[in-house]
Amino acid sequence: MTRVALIDDHESVRLGLAAACARAGVGVGDVVFSGSTVAEYLRWRTETAASPADVVVLDLMLGDGATVSENVTELVCNGSQVIIHSVADRPAAVREALSAGALGVISKSARTDDVVAAIATVARGEHLDNVEWASAIDGDRAFADAQLSAREREVLRLYAAGLPLKSVAERLGIAYSTAKENITRVRVKYVEVGRPAPTKVDLLRRAMEDGLVSESSDGR
């Protein structure tokens, strides 16, 4: 059973999603928390010693003053996958959420059954591939394109797909130091467009966002 938390400052939205999850049946979504802020969710976890929710459905803009980056980062570090549930009229904020680690965005105008399906997708650790996601990326060319060179893209593709950097160098017929310099430049370029990738996992996420690797890619 996927454990779900609903965080939205509109109670009616939470009630509708909770009902949809209950309707979906066993194995799809068990709502373990419903509240209006991330701070409230974290207090609940502390007070009950509950495990983190598998998936948090998070409103883009809450009324407590916390930024979307702060909220998403807190939840991801806390051990949950995050879906942004938004009216999708603030693409910059949506991009900020995706950069912070959210696995996708779904519109509040979507059918509740579609939201439940999105929960199931994200529970598997997969990004949502929908119109809202594409619109958020296409709305800002800096997000969609970090201006990587052909060599940088190839090094990133192999490295993010799982090959050690030494193997990447051997595969491409370049020196290890050259491959390392390429990865360093890739990280710098992503930072420059507001999409930092300090870890290999982050690089995999960026490569997936930019279509360089698929979720099933293994570097071969």
Side-chain angles (χ1 to χ4, degrees):
M1 175 70 75
T2 299
R3 302 172 71 254
V4 179
L6 307 175
I7 302 179
D8 194 299
D9 51 7
H10 292 88
E11 185 180 16
S12 59
V13 173
R14 302 198 309 267
L15 290 173
L17 291 179
C21 287
R23 235 182 7 252
V26 176
V28 177
D30 181 16
V31 177
V32 296
F33 173 85
S34 177
S36 59
T37 67
V38 171
E40 185 181 336
Y41 164 76
L42 295 176
R43 280 197 303 272
W44 167 78
R45 280 209 58 214
T46 299
E47 292 168 359
T48 63
S51 300
D54 299 307
V55 178
V56 176
V57 181
L58 176 69
D59 190 8
L60 184 64
M61 306 300 289
L62 300 175
D64 63 343
T67 68
V68 64
S69 283
E70 291 168 343
N71 284 334
V72 172
T73 299
E74 190 79 54
L75 292 168
V76 170
C77 290
N78 209 249
S80 298
Q81 308 283 23
V82 178
I83 298 173
I84 297 299
H85 193 215
S86 167
V87 292
D89 62 351
R90 297 176 178 173
V94 171
R95 289 191 294 272
E96 185 180 340
L98 297 177
S99 292
L103 290 190
V105 55
I106 189 161
S107 173
K108 285 189 174 180
S109 65
R111 296 168 57 245
T112 53
D113 289 349
D114 291 336
V115 180
V116 172
I119 290 171
T121 297
V122 169
R124 297 192 296 268
E126 300 173 10
H127 286 80
L128 294 184
D129 183 12
N130 56 17
V131 172
E132 290 82 13
W133 171 275
S135 296
I137 294 176
D138 290 343
D140 185 346
R141 293 310 305 165
F143 187 94
D145 188 359
Q147 301 294 322
L148 303 183
S149 70
R151 174 64 78 195
E152 288 164 353
R153 290 169 69 87
E154 189 63 11
V155 170
L156 173 60
R157 183 184 70 79
L158 294 173
Y159 182 62
L163 286 181
L165 201 52
K166 182 179 179 181
S167 298
V168 172
E170 291 173 351
R171 176 78 64 88
L172 297 178
I174 59 178
Y176 171 81
S177 59
T178 301
K180 187 175 181 179
E181 288 170 5
N182 274 274
I183 289 297
T184 298
R185 286 199 300 269
V186 165
R187 285 197 165 104
V188 168
K189 288 183 176 182
Y190 277 126
V191 167
E192 288 174 347
V193 297
R195 301 167 63 195
T199 69
K200 191 169 185 177
V201 172
D202 292 321
L203 283 172
L204 173 58
R205 178 175 285 123
R206 302 296 168 253
M208 289 171 61
E209 289 169 353
D210 290 348
L212 300 180
V213 298
S214 66
E215 294 180 20
S216 60
S217 177
D218 60 3
R220 289 193 295 270

